[in-house]
Amino acid sequence: MAYDIDPELAAALDAIPKGPNGAMLDFSDIPAFRAQTEAAGAQLPVLAPDPRVKIETLSVPREDATVLDVVMFHPGSIDQPRPSLLYFHAGGQVLGSAHDSASHSYAATMALRLDIVLAVVDYRLAPETRAPGAAEDGYLAFTYLTEHASEHGIDPDRIGLAGASGGGAPATATALMVRDRGDRRPRLLSLNYPMLDDRNETPSSHEIVDLGIYDRRENEYAWAAVLGDRTGAADVHPYSSPGRATDVAGLPDTFIAVAQYDVFRDENIDFAQRLIAAGVPVDLHLYAHAFHAWDMFAPNSALATTFERTWHDYLRRHLHG
C-alpha cells in the first residue's frame, strides 16, 4: 500500500539503515540479530544521564532463586515520597534491556521532567523465556515496589504501569494479573503503540508489510519466539497475549497511542474500544501520517513533540493529581 507519511518522519525513515531484508529489523535469527545490534551500539556515543538523577539497580529474588533487576531512576531525595512508573522497554519482547546505557539518558530525563521514580523492568526475553515469563517479572516488580515503597521514596498508591511496543504486552498482562490476584490497584496503564495480540488478523496487520520499521513479518517472528507453537492457537491465555482478554473490566485508567501506519493500529483501537465498553476510562490517540515508534526515530519532529506533550501531561495528571 501507499504510505502518506509526514515529511519529517519520512526523512527520518529514509535515514534509518536497512538490512538485506529491506527492514531495520531481522528476527529470522534473533541471537544473531542481537549480536549485530550490540556490536553496532558499542560503536555509538552514549549521552550521559542527567547527574541530578540517581540510578540504582534493585535485584528482586524470584521463586526459582534467580533475580529480577529493576533499574531505578530517582530524581531527588527519598524523604518525600513520589509517584512511580514501572516501565517495560520496547523490542518485540525479544530485544532490549533495562541495563542498556544508551536508554538511560532518556529515562533519567523523563524521571526528572515528571518528578517521578522511573523503574525499568529487566524482564526476561523470548525465545529463551516464553510468555507469560515477562509478565510474571512485571507482576513481581510491581508487588515488590508496592510492598517496599517507603524504602525507595515511592507513594505505593501512585505507581503506574507503562509499556512501549513489545513492552506493552507484559505491561498489560501485569495489569491483568494484579487485578485477578487482588493486589493494590495501579494508578494507570500507559501503552505506546503496544504489541498486544498474536493472531495478526486485523486489517492493519495485513497492510503494514513493507514499511521497514516493524512490519507483519517481524511481528510474526516475534510472536513465534514468545509463544512457540502456541501462536494463533484458540486457547492462548491473556497473560501471554493480552489482546486475547475478553474481560477487561477493572483495569486502571488507560492511555493508548498508536500511529496510522502501524501494524498494531487496529488491535490497539479494538483493545481501547473493549476497555471503554467495560467502563475503563481511556485516552486513545491515533496519529495520522505517522509510523510505528515515530517519536523514537524522529524525536525532534512536530508529531513527536505533540505526542510527548500529550503523553507527559497525562502522566502528570494521573500520577500527581
Side-chain angles (χ1 to χ4, degrees):
M1 65 173 291
Y3 305 111
D4 181 16
I5 298 174
D6 173 87
E8 288 184 295
L9 272 57
L13 179 62
D14 289 341
I16 296 171
K18 310 294 195 307
N21 66 353
M24 63 169 288
L25 301 173
D26 184 353
F27 289 166
S28 62
D29 186 338
I30 290 170
F33 187 70
R34 285 178 186 160
Q36 176 186 337
T37 302
E38 289 171 7
Q43 305 301 314
L44 300 175
V46 175
L47 185 64
D50 192 302
R52 292 172 291 177
V53 177
K54 178 184 176 182
I55 304 175
E56 63 174 338
T57 299
L58 303 182
S59 294
V60 184
R62 298 188 183 95
E63 289 185 356
D64 64 359
T66 62
V67 296
L68 167 65
D69 284 351
V70 181
V71 182
M72 309 284 285
F73 296 83
H74 208 300
S77 169
I78 66 172
D79 295 337
Q80 181 65 40
R82 287 177 168 82
S84 180
L85 194 64
L86 189 64
Y87 187 82
F88 297 75
H89 64 76
Q93 303 183 73
V94 300
L95 295 178
S97 167
H99 296 293
D100 180 7
S101 58
S103 66
H104 283 189
S105 177
Y106 176 86
T109 299
M110 186 173 173
L112 199 61
R113 286 180 179 173
L114 298 178
D115 193 26
I116 62 171
V117 179
L118 187 66
V120 184
V121 190
D122 197 37
Y123 60 88
R124 290 168 293 178
L125 301 175
E128 294 82 359
T129 299
R130 305 285 194 190
E136 291 288 2
D137 284 346
Y139 177 79
L140 176 62
F142 179 79
T143 52
Y144 179 89
L145 288 183
T146 58
E147 293 166 4
H148 298 267
S150 62
E151 301 169 26
H152 303 289
I154 292 172
D155 182 340
D157 292 316
R158 295 179 180 272
I159 302 176
L161 300 170
S165 192
T172 306
T174 296
L176 292 168
M177 288 179 175
V178 169
R179 179 201 64 181
D180 295 346
R181 296 171 184 176
D183 295 284
R184 191 188 297 260
R185 181 183 174 88
R187 189 75 173 183
L188 59 85
L189 176 61
S190 171
L191 302 172
N192 295 343
Y193 30 83
M195 175 184 183
L196 296 177
D197 198 317
D198 65 290
R199 289 170 292 190
N200 285 295
E201 295 175 343
T202 65
S204 63
S205 74
H206 289 278
E207 291 170 4
I208 312 304
V209 296
D210 58 359
L211 193 53
I213 293 291
Y214 188 94
D215 299 334
R216 181 181 179 86
R217 175 185 54 205
E218 286 70 48
N219 199 40
E220 289 177 334
Y221 276 129
W223 276 115
V226 173
L227 296 177
D229 59 10
R230 293 179 291 155
T231 308
D235 59 349
V236 173
H237 196 281
Y239 293 171
S240 296
S241 179
R244 301 282 198 123
T246 55
D247 177 12
V248 294
L251 290 184
D253 287 28
T254 300
F255 176 98
I256 298 177
V258 69
Q260 178 180 1
Y261 301 119
D262 193 328
V263 70
F264 299 139
R265 182 193 69 215
D266 296 334
E267 67 190 60
N268 289 181
I269 293 172
D270 174 69
F271 192 69
Q273 290 175 326
R274 285 187 282 127
L275 288 170
I276 293 167
V280 177
V282 176
D283 277 39
L284 172 63
H285 301 270
L286 175 63
Y287 286 86
H289 307 290
F291 52 73
H292 183 75
W294 74 95
D295 59 311
M296 294 289 100
F297 295 109
N300 297 317
S301 65
L303 277 177
T305 301
T306 298
F307 161 70
E308 184 178 271
R309 183 184 305 116
T310 300
W311 180 40
H312 283 192
D313 284 349
Y314 179 93
L315 293 175
R316 287 189 189 95
R317 284 188 288 109
H318 285 74
L319 292 173
H320 289 281

